[in-house]
Amino acid sequence: MTSRGLLLKSFRKVNTQHKTCIGCLATTPSRHVQTGPEPATPRIVTEIPGPKSRQLIKELGKIQNVGAVHFFCDYDVSCGNYLVDVDGNVMLDLFTQISSLPLGYNHPAMIKAVTDPSNLSTFVNRPALGIYPPADWVGRLQAALLSVAPPKMHHVQTMACGACSVEHGMKAMFIKFMTERRGSATLTPEEMSSAKEGQPPGCPNLAVLSFNNSFHGRTMGCLGITHSKYIHKLDLPVPDWPVARFPELKYPLDDHVRENQEEERRCLAMVEELIDTWNRKGLPVAAVAVEPIQGEGGDNMASRDFFQGLRDITNKCGIGLLVDEVQTGCGATGLFWAHEHFRLSDTPDVVTFSKKMLTGGFFSKESFVPKDGFRVFNTWVGDPSKAALLEAVVNVIKGDNLLDRVKVTGQHLLNGLKQMQGKYPGLISKARGLGTHCAIDFKDAASRDKTIAKLRERGVHTGSCGAATLRLRPALILENKHVDIFMESFDRVLANMNK
Amino acid sequence: MTSRGLLLKSFRKVNTQHKTCIGCLATTPSRHVQTGPEPATPRIVTEIPGPKSRQLIKELGKIQNVGAVHFFCDYDVSCGNYLVDVDGNVMLDLFTQISSLPLGYNHPAMIKAVTDPSNLSTFVNRPALGIYPPADWVGRLQAALLSVAPPKMHHVQTMACGACSVEHGMKAMFIKFMTERRGSATLTPEEMSSAKEGQPPGCPNLAVLSFNNSFHGRTMGCLGITHSKYIHKLDLPVPDWPVARFPELKYPLDDHVRENQEEERRCLAMVEELIDTWNRKGLPVAAVAVEPIQGEGGDNMASRDFFQGLRDITNKCGIGLLVDEVQTGCGATGLFWAHEHFRLSDTPDVVTFSKKMLTGGFFSKESFVPKDGFRVFNTWVGDPSKAALLEAVVNVIKGDNLLDRVKVTGQHLLNGLKQMQGKYPGLISKARGLGTHCAIDFKDAASRDKTIAKLRERGVHTGSCGAATLRLRPALILENKHVDIFMESFDRVLANMNK
C-alpha cells in the first residue's frame, strides 16, 4: 500500500472510531470527509508539487493561467491546522488559503452548519438578498455579524468578496460626502442626466487617499488605492488618486521611539498636505483608506498614535475613514478587529471585511448608510449560506474562547520569532505582529523565498509579502504545539541557510 | 388554524407522502424543505408586503438601507416556479431573484448536490482557488463550465459575482491590448515603477466603449460602461469612457426593416467614429462591451447584423469584444448563450456570466488569457461550491432538455404577449424576446408599475426595466401552464387598466 493509501486508511479508521464520518450517507462511499483528530505532525512523501499536482496543473493550464497555482489539495482529508495535497503530503498550514480559514479544515461546527437540515434551503436557494431576504436574515445578521461588530458600529452590509466590500464601502463614502455637500438642495435634472453619462456634476471628480505599499483589492476602484506590487496594475487604466507615505518604523521599536514618532508625524503631515493640495486642484479627497496592518505590502505596522492621528485629520477635514480589515479582521490579532488595538477616540466610518469572515461586507456608521435604495446594491449583495457558516464560526470563537487562545499562542509565536532573530541576526529581523498575525523580514527576497521552500519541504506551509517578508497567517485554532513544530523547522532551515 | 398554518401543513403532508423531505434528519424538526410538487396556482392571503414582512423590513432597516426590499421570503417552502413569502403568500415567480434561479426553488438536483457527502468538503472548505485548487477542480470546470462553453471557447476563469466577472474580463482585454502593443519589447523599470503608482506608462490611459442604456455592474470599472439609470452612478467618480448609441428598433420589426437597418448602421458608424476620435485624443479604446439584450436598460434588442457588424469593427480595429451574458446566459433565450443567436462569424473575445450560472466568471479566447500569474486573480477567484451546484444544474438542463422546453414555452409566452398587445394597443407594445427572456413596453412608467403591482396582488411576480418595460425572467423549468396563469392575470389586469 502506498503511503498515501496508508494515510487515507488511518484517517478513515479515525472517522469510524469517532462516528463523525459523513460518508456513511453516501451511495458511493468513495469520498469521505476527515473530521479529526488532526495529524500529530507534518508528513512529506513527495516533492511539492508532487506528480499528481503537476499533472493537474498541466491539465488546468489548458483552461486558464496557472502561474499562481502551488499545488492541488485533497480537502476531504485535510484537517484542523493540516492541509493535505493530492500527493498525500501533510502540511502544517500557517498561511491558510491566504489568511481565509478561521477554523482550519473540516471543523465539525462548519460541517454541522452545512449538514444541518434547517440550513438546507439557505444553501440551495441563493436569493437576491437586497430585494427578497430570507425569513431568518435579520437574526442571521445579528448573530453572525452584529454580535462581533467593531465598537459602536451597528450597521452592516454584506457583499460577495473583499474587492466588492471595498468598492461599495468607498461608494458609501462618496455618497455621504456629496450628500453633505448638497445639503438641503434637491437633486437637479442636470445632476441626474450627467450621472447617467458619467460626467460632472452628477459624477463629480473625487478621490480616495491611500498609502504606498497598500493593498485593497483588484477591481478598478480598489486598484486606485492599491500600491503594493506593479503586477496588480500593469497595463490597467486605474484612477489617479493621492498616495501618502505609510510609516516605515525602525525595529526594535523600543530603541527607536523618537525616530518612529517623527516618521509617523511626517506621514500624517503628508496626508494633510495631500488633502489640501488635491482639494485646491479641484479633485477633493472624499475619504482615506488604510489597513490596520499592511498585508500584501509587507506586514507594515504603525502605532496607535498614527491611527488616532489619521482619525483626527479625517474628522477635521470632514472626510471619511475606511479601515480595511479584509485580512486583519476576525480575531487573528487577538481582538476581533485589529483596529480595536488602536483604541481610537472615534470609531472608523467604514470597516470592510472578507476572507476569514467567509462573507464580504462592511460595517459603517449610521451616517454612512445611503438614504436611498439601489445605491449600494447588486443582484446578490452577499450570500446567506456564507453568513450561516460565519454564524457557526462566531459561535466557536466565542464558545472556545479562541481570541484568548490567539493571544497566548501569538505571544508564544512572537517570542519564538524574536528568539530566532537573536540567533540569526544577519539573516532575519523585525519580528512583529499582533496575536498570531505575525511576520519577520529577511535580508533579501532570495533568502526569504528559499526559506519558505525549505520549510515546505519539511511540511510547514507559510506565505510571503512585501519585498522580503515571511508572513504567518494560521487559523484561530493554532496552539503552542504547532508553533513549536514550526519553530523547530524554522531554526533548522535558518541554520542551514547560514552555513 | 391560520391559512399560513394550513398551507405549511399541506406542504409537509406532501413531503411525507413523497418521502423527499430532508427535515427527517433534523434534531429539531421545525424547519423542513419543500421539494415538490409545486403548488397548482398562486394563492394570496395578505397584502404584499404583509404584516410579517413589514415587521422584518422595520427590523432590517435598523441595520442597513431597505429601500430596495420588496418582502421577506420563506425559502423552505418555496418550490419550483412558486415563491412563498413569510406571510404565506404563494406567488408564481416570473422574475426569479433578478433572473438568477436556473431551476426555480428547491430543485431536487440542487438539494442532492448540497446533501451529497462527496460535495461536503467543497461546501466546508472554500479554498484560495487560484493557488490551492481542489483535486476535482479540473473535472468540475469541464463538467460545469466547458461542457456548456460558447462555441469555440475553451478557456474559463471563475469569479465570485457578475461585477467581478466584468471587471476581470475587462482587465484581460486591457492586458491583451497592451501586451500586443509592447510586442517583443521587455517590460521597462519605468513601466514597473509607474504601474505601482498608477501612472503612465505602466498604467496607460485606455478606455472601454459601451452603449447608452447599458448595464454591466456596480463596481468602479463596471460603472464606466454602465449607462442605464442615474442612481447607479450619482455622486461617484466613474471612468469617463466613450458611449455609443444602442439601436432603438421600431416594432413590429417586419414593418420597419429598412428603418431599423439604417438605425443599426448609424449606431455602428458611431462606434467606429468614437474609436477613431478617442484614439486620436490619446485615450485608445481597448475593447467594446455589449449585452446581447440590454437588461436593466429596457430589454433592448438588436439584430444579428448589428452584432456581426460590431464583431467586424472590433476585429478591424484590433480591439476586444466583451459580450456580457450575466443576465442572458444559461439558457433563458432557448440557446445556452444569447449571442449564439447571432451566429457570429468569429466568436467574442470575452463572454462574462453570473446569475443563473450561480458562479461568476468569463470565457475567453486563448489569446486573452494573461501569460503571467496574479494578473486576473484574487483570494477566492470563485467558489467550488457554486461550481458544484452549477454542475448539477447543467446536468438537469441537458437531461431534461430544458433548452427545448424554453423554446416551446418561450414561443407560447411571446405569442401570448403579442395577442395581448393586439388586444390593448394603446397600453402595451413591442412584445419581444428570445426564449422565455421576454418583455413588453407600456405607454408610461406609471401604467407599467401599476400593472406589476396588480399582478402581484393576483400572485404573479414580475419585474421592470428601462423606462416603461415589464420584464419576464422565469426559471428554465417554466411550462405552458404557468404562462397561461400569467396570461390570464395579465389580461384581467390590463382590462381593468383600460377601464
Side-chain angles (χ1 to χ4, degrees), chain A residues 172-478:
Chain A
M173 305 180 93
F174 287 131
I175 291 167
K176 163 73 158 50
F177 185 82
M178 291 307 295
T179 304
E180 230 159 54
R181 285 208 155 183
R182 197 172 285 120
S184 58
T186 47
L187 210 57
T188 66
E190 195 198 353
E191 282 177 298
M192 288 190 254
S193 62
S194 59
K196 218 166 136 179
E197 288 157 25
Q199 304 285 340
C203 292
N205 286 318
L206 295 175
V208 176
L209 181 144
S210 56
F211 293 89
N212 65 347
N213 296 316
S214 59
F215 181 89
H216 296 282
R218 293 159 182 270
T219 50
M220 212 62 81
C222 293
L223 287 175
I225 54 173
T226 287
H227 317 280
S228 46
K229 290 181 187 126
Y230 81 87
I231 199 72
H232 299 151
K233 300 202 286 190
L234 181 69
D235 299 338
L236 306 177
V238 302
D240 177 16
W241 289 342
V243 187
R245 177 183 168 90
F246 192 83
E248 283 184 25
L249 301 190
K250 291 200 170 139
Y251 288 76
L253 295 175
D254 290 344
D255 300 349
H256 301 86
V257 174
R258 188 175 302 172
E259 282 162 277
N260 287 339
Q261 281 174 347
E262 279 166 14
E263 166 71 356
E264 293 194 335
R265 270 198 291 267
R266 272 194 302 274
C267 294
L268 288 172
M270 190 176 175
V271 170
E272 280 203 82
E273 197 187 306
L274 280 168
I275 293 171
D276 187 48
T277 315
W278 282 66
N279 276 344
R280 276 189 282 112
K281 70 176 183 183
L283 225 156
V285 174
V288 171
V290 71
E291 298 156 272
I293 301 173
Q294 290 190 323
E296 277 294 309
D299 265 37
N300 309 312
M301 301 176 74
S303 77
R304 69 175 57 145
D305 287 346
F306 174 76
F307 287 96
Q308 182 63 52
L310 213 49
R311 176 69 284 190
D312 292 342
I313 290 170
T314 47
N315 274 343
K316 193 177 78 180
C317 298
I319 65 178
L321 178 63
L322 183 153
V323 174
D324 184 347
E325 294 247 25
V326 166
Q327 184 151 174
T328 51
C330 201
T333 69
L335 296 176
F336 206 93
W337 303 101
H339 78 265
E340 292 180 67
H341 290 277
F342 308 144
R343 298 182 210 150
L344 299 176
S345 61
D346 178 29
T347 192
D349 301 307
V350 170
V351 174
T352 52
F353 55 82
S354 190
K355 288 189 182 264
K356 275 193 288 293
M357 294 293 282
L358 307 178
T359 172
F362 61 93
F363 296 100
S364 71
K365 282 186 181 161
E366 184 167 14
S367 56
F368 284 77
V369 178
K371 300 287 168 286
D372 302 306
F374 296 103
R375 300 196 76 171
V376 168
F377 186 81
N378 60 37
T379 297
W380 285 322
V381 285
D383 183 346
S385 77
K386 302 301 180 190
L389 287 168
L390 176 62
E391 184 176 342
V393 167
V394 163
N395 287 338
V396 170
I397 291 175
K398 291 173 181 172
D400 293 359
N401 293 314
L402 288 188
L403 298 189
D404 288 343
R405 189 201 282 190
V406 165
K407 284 183 194 116
V408 171
T409 317
Q411 197 55 58
H412 188 54
L413 177 58
L414 191 55
N415 287 345
L417 290 174
K418 284 180 175 167
Q419 212 182 325
M420 289 299 130
Q421 83 184 11
K423 197 168 171 185
Y424 305 99
L427 186 56
I428 51 175
S429 63
K430 298 190 186 176
R432 60 197 182 277
L434 291 170
T436 54
H437 191 288
C438 288
I440 194 159
D441 280 7
F442 280 70
K443 63 175 182 182
D444 53 33
S447 56
R448 184 262 320 264
D449 294 344
K450 193 173 171 192
T451 299
I452 289 175
K454 290 288 171 192
L455 280 170
R456 200 166 71 178
E457 284 174 18
R458 300 180 58 91
V460 179
H461 190 59
T462 58
S464 66
C465 62
T469 301
L470 181 145
R471 68 172 149 169
L472 301 169
R473 294 294 176 274
L476 307 177
I477 54 167
L478 194 80

